[in-house]
Amino acid sequence: MGLELKNISRSFGKNRFALSGINFSMQKGEILALLGESGSGKSTLLRIIAGFELPDKGSINLSGKTICDEKISLHPEKRNIGLVFQDYALFPHLNIEKNIAFGQKKNPSRTTNEWLALVGLPGMGKRYPHELSGGQQQRVAIARSLAAEPELLLLDEPFSNLDDSIRSSVRGEIRDIIRSTNTTAVFVTHDTRDCMAVADKVIVLSNGKLLQEGDPKQLYIQPCNSYVARIFGEVNIVEGEIARQLSGLKKFGIRPQHIIPGNDFSCTVLSCRFDGDHYDLELDLNGSKLHFHSDQPYTKDEVIRISFPKDKIIDLSHES
C-alpha cells in the first residue's frame, strides 16, 4: 500500500467543515489527482498529508507506517514526503545543479547529472532559475524533490502557472518523470484536463466531502451526480416530463458533443456560434434548451432533428 487515509476530518469553528470523513487509498507508484473548485478542501487535505496542518480526527498511513492519527503526528520533515509548490520555490542564489543537490541523500541512487537528464535538462546544471522557462523551472523543482527519494510526492496546482501553449506537453513530461521513478504522487488541481493527462485515479471534492473517486474516464462517462458531470465539462441536464419522454428517466445528462444528427427529436435552432473545431448550437427542444456541437452551421429558427445515443446518456435519476 502506498498511501491510506481513514476518516480524515477538519473543521474551522463549530459549523464549518473543511473536510468531513475523507477515506481513500492508493497503491505505490499511482498518481492521484485531488479535483475540486476553490473551497472544496483539496488544498487543506494536501497540507494535512504533508503535516502542515493537523486533522481533528482520522489517520494517515504511508508505506505501511502510521504518520498521523489521534495519538501521534510526525513532523513534516519526518514523513519522507517531497513537495512541489505552485511557485516552484527554487533557491534563486543557487544554480540548477546545486538546487537539485540540496535535496539529495548522502548516498543518492542518481547523480545530479542523471537527474538533469531524467527531467530533460542535460548540460543545464550551471544555469540559474531565472535563466529557465516556467516549464523548465518546474522540472527542476520536481527533480529536487525526487532526488530526496521520497515515499510520496505532493504537488500543489503544478500546471496552473504555465502558458496554455506548453501546458499540454509539460503534463506528459511530468507524468513520465514521476512514473519513471515509481513514486507515489498526489496533486491538487481544478482542471480536469490535468486529470485526464496525468492521473491514474481522481478524487472529486466539494464542500469538504468526497463525492466520487475512480479513473478519469470512469468519472467522465459515469459521474455520480450533476456536480461531477459539470466539473468534467459542459453537459446538458434534462429533467421532468421531457426527460421521461426522451429517455425513460426522470433526470439525465448528455454532453453537447455526444448529441448526433438523427430522426428522433425535432429542435429549433436558437443560436449558432463558431467555436474553432465545431459550431456550438443552442437548441429549443419542447421548451428545454440544449447545447449541441455540430460540424456544420445552421441558421437561427432552422428546424433540425437530433438523437441521443443510449450509451452516452448519463443517468441522474437518483438526484432529487
Side-chain angles (χ1 to χ4, degrees):
M1 183 68 68
L3 177 68
E4 183 178 26
L5 275 67
K6 291 184 178 179
N7 199 31
I8 295 294
S9 297
R10 180 77 168 96
S11 62
F12 298 105
K14 292 183 178 180
N15 300 315
R16 184 170 167 240
F17 281 90
L19 295 167
S20 180
I22 303 297
N23 294 278
F24 71 83
S25 63
M26 53 189 298
Q27 299 298 319
K28 178 174 173 54
E30 274 192 315
I31 302 176
L32 179 141
L34 298 176
L35 174 66
E37 299 174 336
S38 297
S40 64
K42 58 187 187 297
S43 294
T44 299
L45 185 55
L46 198 78
R47 291 177 59 82
I48 286 174
I49 296 171
F52 298 140
E53 288 190 30
L54 297 178
D56 297 329
K57 61 180 179 179
S59 65
I60 303 174
N61 187 288
L62 178 60
S63 300
K65 179 181 178 181
T66 299
I67 61 173
C68 178
D69 62 15
E70 295 178 4
K71 296 181 180 179
I72 65 164
S73 180
L74 296 184
H75 289 181
E77 64 272 17
K78 300 292 185 182
R79 297 191 178 196
N80 196 19
I81 292 175
L83 298 168
V84 178
F85 298 99
Q86 191 171 352
D87 61 359
Y88 315 136
L90 298 176
F91 301 117
H93 62 291
L94 298 180
N95 63 26
I96 302 310
E97 186 177 81
K98 291 181 179 178
N99 261 281
I100 295 175
F102 181 87
Q104 283 185 305
K105 291 187 173 182
K106 290 183 179 179
N107 298 302
S109 59
R110 286 182 172 92
T111 66
T112 302
N113 286 335
E114 286 173 331
W115 279 114
L116 284 168
L118 181 68
V119 298
L121 300 172
M124 299 181 70
K126 301 303 181 184
R127 296 190 185 184
Y128 285 81
H130 71 271
E131 298 178 292
L132 304 183
S133 68
Q136 290 172 330
Q137 289 184 42
Q138 184 186 57
R139 282 182 272 166
V140 173
I142 289 174
R144 183 179 64 183
S145 293
L146 291 176
E149 300 179 29
E151 294 177 56
L152 176 67
L153 181 67
L154 302 179
L155 305 99
D156 182 16
E157 295 276 5
F159 310 107
S160 63
N161 286 340
L162 301 176
D163 294 336
D164 287 341
S165 59
I166 66 166
R167 189 176 299 180
S168 179
S169 62
V170 172
R171 286 187 188 111
E173 292 167 359
I174 300 309
R175 178 197 62 222
D176 293 344
I177 291 167
I178 296 172
R179 288 201 195 289
S180 69
T181 62
N182 197 35
T183 303
T184 310
V186 176
F187 71 95
V188 162
T189 186
H190 62 272
D191 192 332
T192 55
R193 294 171 297 178
D194 297 343
C195 301
M196 295 291 189
V198 181
D200 299 306
K201 183 188 292 186
V202 179
I203 284 177
V204 180
L205 296 171
S206 178
N207 296 320
K209 296 181 180 179
L210 193 159
L211 295 186
Q212 189 173 4
E213 66 175 296
D215 66 72
K217 182 179 179 181
Q218 176 191 355
L219 268 61
Y220 178 82
I221 295 174
Q222 296 178 314
C224 67
N225 58 25
S226 299
Y227 177 87
V228 177
R230 287 192 175 102
I231 206 171
F232 270 88
E234 187 179 3
V235 63
N236 296 295
I237 305 295
V238 184
E239 52 190 320
E241 184 59 32
I242 188 170
R244 281 187 282 270
Q245 292 175 3
L246 299 178
S247 67
L249 303 171
K250 68 176 184 179
K251 185 175 183 179
F252 73 90
I254 188 162
R255 301 194 184 277
Q257 64 270 30
H258 292 159
I259 298 174
I260 61 174
N263 296 313
D264 294 335
F265 310 108
S266 179
C267 302
T268 302
V269 176
L270 299 177
S271 66
C272 179
R273 178 177 59 87
F274 180 61
D275 198 21
D277 60 352
H278 65 268
Y279 292 89
D280 186 4
L281 274 66
E282 186 177 37
L283 306 176
D284 181 347
L285 174 59
N286 295 337
S288 289
K289 291 183 179 180
L290 301 175
H291 279 270
F292 166 44
H293 291 173
S294 170
D295 59 1
Q296 61 179 327
Y298 292 89
T299 58
K300 188 177 183 301
D301 296 327
E302 186 174 353
V303 175
I304 65 173
R305 298 189 66 84
I306 60 172
S307 293
F308 300 154
K310 290 184 179 180
D311 62 338
K312 301 298 184 182
I313 289 177
I314 301 168
D315 185 353
L316 300 172
S317 55
H318 61 282
E319 291 187 337
S320 58

